[in-house]
Amino acid sequence: MENPPEWGDGGRGRRVVVIGGGVAGSLIAKSLQFDADLTLIDPKDYFEIPWASLRATVEPLFAERSLIHHKDYLANGRLIVSEVTNITNKEVLTADGHQVTYDYLVVATGHYDPLPVTRIDRLEEYQTENEKIKAADSILIVGGGPTGVELAAEIAVDFPQKKVTLVHDGSRLLEFIGPKASNKTLEWLKNKNVEVKLMQSVDLSNNTNNLGGNKTYFTSSGETIKADCHFLCTGKPPGSEWLRETYLKDRIDNFGRLQVDENLRIKGHRNIFAVGDITDIKELKQGYSAQKHALVAAKNLKLLMSGGKESKLAIYEPRPSPKIIVSLGRQDAVAQFSFTTIIGLVPGMIKSKDLYVGKARKKMGLQPK
């Protein structure tokens, strides 16, 4: 691939490559497209608003707004739809053969979560998952973090006649927030006839087919669960495996995260940033934080590209989120504020109806609807 000629001394048009088009990567690409010669590299041609994905499972049309073509917000950047295979101190190599030279690099590969390459295929995947739910009388969900809980709630609200069983290996649901919120959520699910089994795991590969077409699954404590289908909702590993053979291999910590300084630069590298879930910042890995990373790093990149002083770089300060809300179907939610924990319609009004999709679209410069 031809690289554009160098721009004049003003620093404008410095070559910025962003790897990863998730929450942080897409926002940083959007923010820098008119200040840099920008290339976004992502294995798919769209950005997905991740916190809307469980609603799309019960209502596939919802994904029409939560799946956004990169081209829709990236009017002035180059998009390469490919995996990245290597990084050197001056270029990025992709699986489809591009060699892209950079002056500044941003790594935003989040968690490892292989998705279909095209937006159309992803929409189709939601349709298939929805049909799987509709056809099932009984559903097994493995994992009691926010994904498992929100999926169980979406199904229980939209398809109350289905038998939903949620198995979680921890002592309580939603272990990332306080026990009050966990207990209230457990009560809510039980009231919606979701059976919750704690302190147990399920080996999904070990199941038996029954005559009726459903399967019997076995839990670690010897219980059996009959279900027509299952969803695995356990945590995903950081998207850093591919970095282990690259120039940045010494900057991956024991948890697979990239070590960054207070300006969100990878430690020891003055021109390479990392943002979003891939960073080793001690905070909850939330979309809200990833968006903040993107804005701080974009500000710092603009400063550096215009020849500003390093001492003026913005500092990212992780702050505990003032509120954590887990939606429970279309109307309810559980919310933990610094001073109290509540469940029901009031926190639901904040998040559950639209799941912040309009807000996220607006941030990307698009119509909320």
Side-chain angles (χ1 to χ4, degrees):
M1 161 183 262
E2 284 297 297
N3 280 311
E6 286 289 0
W7 291 59
D9 291 339
R12 230 188 96 64
R14 299 301 299 266
R15 294 166 300 191
V16 176
V17 175
V18 178
I19 304 173
V23 176
S26 59
L27 185 55
I28 214 165
K30 175 199 174 282
S31 309
L32 292 175
Q33 59 181 327
F34 296 104
D35 297 274
D37 171 50
L38 184 114
T39 303
L40 172 65
I41 307 175
D42 192 44
K44 50 191 194 347
D45 70 9
Y46 57 93
F47 158 55
E48 169 152 18
I49 300 172
W51 49 89
S53 65
L54 302 163
R55 177 68 48 84
T57 310
V58 296
E59 184 195 335
L61 278 176
F62 198 76
E64 290 286 355
R65 288 170 55 237
S66 62
L67 299 179
I68 297 164
H69 273 297
H70 289 310
K71 287 282 183 218
D72 287 350
Y73 64 84
L74 202 60
N76 202 42
R78 185 189 296 116
L79 172 67
I80 296 174
V81 179
S82 179
E83 302 274 352
V84 169
T85 51
N86 200 3
I87 295 173
T88 69
N89 63 349
K90 58 175 191 294
E91 57 184 13
V92 176
L93 285 73
T94 67
D96 65 354
H98 287 89
Q99 283 175 295
V100 192
T101 307
Y102 67 84
D103 299 304
Y104 295 96
L105 178 65
V106 181
V107 181
T109 46
H111 282 93
Y112 178 67
D113 187 14
L115 291 172
V117 173
T118 69
R119 181 177 179 273
I120 287 179
D121 286 348
R122 180 65 168 141
L123 285 168
E124 214 158 275
E125 193 172 73
Y126 278 126
Q127 201 60 55
T128 306
E129 296 209 321
N130 181 251
E131 280 155 21
K132 175 169 124 178
I133 291 172
K134 281 184 172 160
D137 293 321
S138 50
I139 297 159
L140 167 64
I141 294 171
V142 180
T147 310
V149 166
E150 290 192 351
L151 180 60
E154 291 285 349
I155 296 171
V157 166
D158 276 26
F159 302 101
Q161 71 288 4
K162 298 191 186 297
K163 169 87 191 97
V164 179
T165 307
L166 189 155
V167 179
H168 181 53
D169 60 6
S171 58
R172 60 186 182 90
L173 300 170
L174 305 175
E175 285 155 296
F176 72 106
I177 51 179
K180 267 196 183 138
S182 301
N183 296 338
K184 286 177 190 281
T185 302
L186 181 61
E187 282 308 304
W188 188 95
L189 287 170
K190 282 181 173 168
N191 286 335
K192 292 279 186 284
N193 298 320
V194 174
E195 189 178 350
V196 178
K197 294 178 187 290
L198 297 170
M199 304 293 287
Q200 297 186 50
S201 56
V202 178
D203 177 2
L204 291 169
S205 59
N206 174 25
N207 61 64
T208 56
N209 290 317
N210 303 323
L211 279 173
N214 65 4
K215 290 180 173 173
T216 300
Y217 299 88
F218 304 94
T219 77
S220 51
S221 58
E223 292 187 37
T224 58
I225 299 166
K226 284 198 165 91
D228 294 317
C229 68
H230 73 264
F231 288 90
L232 181 61
C233 299
T234 49
K236 300 179 174 80
S240 60
E241 258 322 293
W242 64 282
L243 284 162
R244 293 191 187 277
E245 302 296 312
T246 72
Y247 170 64
L248 298 174
K249 61 177 180 284
D250 300 334
R251 287 288 166 247
I252 304 170
D253 73 7
N254 297 335
F255 302 101
R257 304 196 187 280
L258 280 169
Q259 299 163 330
V260 292
D261 64 16
E262 58 183 4
N263 311 123
L264 299 177
R265 291 191 288 189
I266 294 179
K267 286 185 175 162
H269 297 277
R270 294 173 66 172
N271 63 331
I272 304 181
F273 288 76
V275 288
D277 287 355
I278 192 87
T279 61
D280 69 341
I281 296 167
K282 305 274 178 283
E283 64 184 356
L284 277 181
K285 301 294 175 193
Q286 288 184 294
Y288 160 87
S289 311
Q291 287 172 335
K292 289 208 139 145
H293 294 188
L295 297 174
V296 169
K299 192 173 172 180
N300 286 340
L301 280 156
K302 285 178 189 176
L303 179 88
L304 293 171
M305 286 187 289
S306 61
K309 287 196 178 78
E310 295 226 348
S311 58
K312 293 269 196 299
L313 286 168
I315 290 173
Y316 176 76
E317 289 173 27
R319 291 210 179 95
S321 175
K323 62 174 192 284
I324 298 168
I325 302 181
V326 176
S327 64
L328 299 169
R330 291 169 187 275
Q331 290 182 317
D332 293 350
V334 61
Q336 178 178 293
F337 299 97
S338 49
F339 51 90
T340 185
T341 298
I342 51 175
I343 192 162
L345 293 171
V346 174
M349 281 158 70
I350 305 173
K351 179 179 180 185
S352 301
K353 189 167 183 258
D354 192 53
L355 301 176
Y356 302 141
V357 168
K359 219 170 164 181
R361 288 178 62 87
K362 248 168 131 166
K363 247 197 178 93
M364 299 306 289
L366 304 169
Q367 289 295 327
K369 292 289 173 212

